[in-house]
Amino acid sequence: MASREKAADGVTPQHAFLAAWVGWVSLGESIGFLAPALAQFLAATVWPGADFGLLVLAGLAESAVLGWSQAHVLRSRLPRMSTSRWILLTAAGAAFAWSVGMLPSAFETWQDWPPAAWIGAGGVAAILLLGSIGTAQWFELRRHTFRAWRWVVGSSAAWAAGLSVFMLVAPPLWQPGQPAWLIAAIGVAAAVLMAVVMALVTGLVLIRLLQVTPTAGAGR
């Protein structure tokens, strides 16, 4: 009777899951993003030249918060899922993504490459960066649901959408001579929008993925 009343009111289990996922994951990623923001500030003011290591470490912290927020909601549908394993896999994937993303600034010799090499290397780097977190999380998700490979594709698309929103919002608003607080505020606002978009897309992917009754060890 309760489920029928909820359906009549337009609040289905899928809607409830999506709302919880978008809320918690957006919050987790927004809070976690403060770590890279702090690392960038430290690299610019305290430890010049240490941005590679600082940002990779910050990516670990960011993804640990993100992984916990995801697991907090996901365990409502997959109670046998390991929260600690999910967090560790998320952190590993994010550290790899940050490492790939920082390579151009760490090795400036790429500027001497021919255009064809730029395009090829950039395409490979984009695939590795966008797919790293979803691929890492797949190792846990495949233990609990069918066709878990779809998560890799959906997660990649979600991060592509989220990062696109960030790049469309933040860089045009950043201008030379702006005070540090304004630069930080623009970055945080763009990061929140990025988090919401990423959370919404991944939430929609999970709803489709979890329509199949999850079975431990049944992933593909």
Side-chain angles (χ1 to χ4, degrees):
M1 179 66 68
S3 61
R4 291 181 179 178
E5 291 176 355
K6 289 182 179 180
D9 293 338
V11 181
T12 66
Q14 289 78 13
H15 292 153
F17 176 85
L18 182 61
W21 177 269
V22 172
W24 278 99
V25 174
S26 298
L27 179 62
E29 173 61 17
S30 298
I31 294 174
F33 193 81
L34 295 177
L38 176 60
Q40 188 66 55
F41 174 78
L42 292 175
T45 59
V46 181
W47 293 304
D51 51 342
F52 189 101
L54 286 173
L55 284 170
V56 171
L57 289 175
L60 286 170
E62 173 193 10
S63 57
V65 179
L66 171 64
W68 180 88
S69 66
Q70 290 178 327
H72 176 75
V73 182
L74 195 52
R75 277 178 59 86
S76 67
R77 295 294 304 274
L78 302 175
R80 298 179 64 183
M81 189 189 81
S82 170
T83 297
S84 59
R85 190 182 296 117
W86 183 269
I87 293 173
L88 288 174
L89 290 170
T90 304
F96 180 79
W98 275 100
S99 298
V100 171
M102 292 297 297
L103 284 178
S105 62
F107 302 98
E108 298 182 355
T109 55
W110 65 270
Q111 298 178 8
D112 300 325
W113 295 358
W118 288 358
I119 296 173
V124 172
I127 292 173
L128 293 174
L129 191 153
L130 295 174
S132 57
I133 293 179
T135 300
Q137 293 173 333
W138 169 84
F139 284 98
E140 175 64 15
L141 194 60
R142 69 185 295 271
R143 297 158 59 93
H144 309 283
T145 186
F146 291 104
R147 297 192 290 273
W149 61 267
R150 294 183 177 184
W151 175 249
V152 179
V153 179
S155 177
S156 300
W159 282 107
L163 290 170
S164 296
V165 169
F166 183 90
M167 296 304 296
L168 287 172
V169 173
L173 294 178
W174 281 329
Q175 299 297 328
Q178 289 177 327
W181 69 265
L182 181 56
I183 295 174
I186 293 172
V188 170
V192 171
L193 291 175
M194 175 190 71
V196 172
V197 171
M198 179 273 295
L200 178 59
V201 176
T202 51
L204 293 172
V205 171
L206 276 175
I207 287 177
R208 294 294 300 273
L209 186 62
L210 295 176
Q211 283 179 347
V212 178
T213 303
T215 303
R220 296 291 186 270

